[in-house]
Amino acid sequence: FGLLVLASGVCVCEGQGQFNQDLVAASGGAWIALEGFARYNFTGYCHIWHDPCTNKVTVQNEMKTGVVGSSIPPRASQLKLDGHAHVGPCSAPGGHWKKDKSVSSQVEANELWLQLKPGETLSNKTWSDTTIYISDHPPPKSFVHHAPDGDMMACCAYTYVDPKPTYSCASGGQKGGGAAHPDVASGSKDEVHEQTQSGKE
């Protein structure tokens, strides 16, 4: 595998699709309660990354739910919580982020949807032949989980790392460095999470 480093430069890889080297992928901060859900305490993290060597996008979330002031620590929700990548930050999430922004309707195949199942705290999904780097189309700024009635309940902002990483991909389209988050930083998921805490909302 090629070497993954955090430095300015050019990404050299095979099958990079529409990868925009002027942007970098994101790792998220903490979950915050949105309007109407201030009594709840959400813990965990959100991650999103694009592997330009295989042209895949992965979203991974961890979220536990508790009640503010309760002696019971946050734990897995017993509700089915749908979620989507959104165009704006947690202060104003706006609509769902779309792969093709010319499509105005909500179509799952054109968006990044992820469901947190009852009794679980971790969810992840990978989309093939997908990139979050499209010319004149900013990548998603946050991920929002919705309450069962559809209201926006909890939001986690994506933090874009600077300087952007550079790396090489091995022949055959393998991602360089073998890191968990090839567009963000080298190291384990927990190490990447720690590196991005200063930028969380």
Side-chain angles (χ1 to χ4, degrees):
F1 293 104
L3 177 65
L4 174 69
V5 295
L6 284 174
S8 297
V10 178
C11 169
V12 180
C13 53
E14 297 181 6
Q16 61 183 355
Q18 300 180 51
F19 180 66
N20 184 342
Q21 67 187 35
D22 294 328
L23 300 173
V24 295
S27 188
W31 294 95
I32 62 172
L34 295 178
E35 185 177 358
F37 295 90
R39 66 184 295 263
Y40 294 101
N41 176 30
F42 302 104
T43 63
Y45 61 83
C46 61
H47 288 299
I48 186 170
W49 66 94
H50 172 243
D51 184 342
C53 302
T54 59
N55 204 35
K56 295 180 179 179
V57 169
T58 298
V59 170
Q60 178 174 288
N61 296 334
E62 180 186 71
M63 192 176 81
K64 297 179 181 180
T65 304
V67 176
V68 175
S70 173
S71 60
I72 301 175
R75 54 188 175 180
S77 173
Q78 296 306 307
L79 302 174
K80 180 180 72 173
L81 302 176
D82 291 326
H84 318 87
H86 278 247
V87 297
C90 289
S91 57
H96 296 175
W97 185 86
K98 301 176 185 300
K99 302 175 192 177
D100 182 351
K101 64 179 181 179
S102 69
V103 178
S104 59
S105 59
Q106 291 189 6
V107 180
E108 182 174 0
N110 191 41
E111 301 179 359
L112 303 179
W113 294 19
L114 185 61
Q115 184 182 93
L116 186 61
K117 297 179 180 179
E120 297 185 0
T121 61
L122 186 66
S123 57
N124 61 80
K125 185 175 180 180
T126 297
W127 290 263
S128 299
D129 299 319
T130 302
T131 178
I132 53 176
Y133 301 111
I134 305 169
S135 297
D136 302 317
H137 182 21
K141 298 295 192 299
S142 63
F143 194 94
V144 174
H145 271 300
H146 296 255
D149 63 2
D151 287 345
M152 292 191 290
M153 181 178 69
C155 182
C156 185
Y158 290 133
T159 301
Y160 286 77
V161 181
D162 183 33
K164 61 181 179 291
T166 76
Y167 47 88
S168 298
C169 302
S171 60
Q174 298 297 310
K175 62 186 178 183
H181 299 76
D183 280 358
V184 181
S186 59
S188 69
K189 169 177 64 61
D190 290 338
E191 290 169 338
V192 171
H193 180 52
E194 290 176 2
Q195 291 178 45
T196 60
Q197 286 305 289
S198 60
K200 70 184 180 182
E201 291 191 3

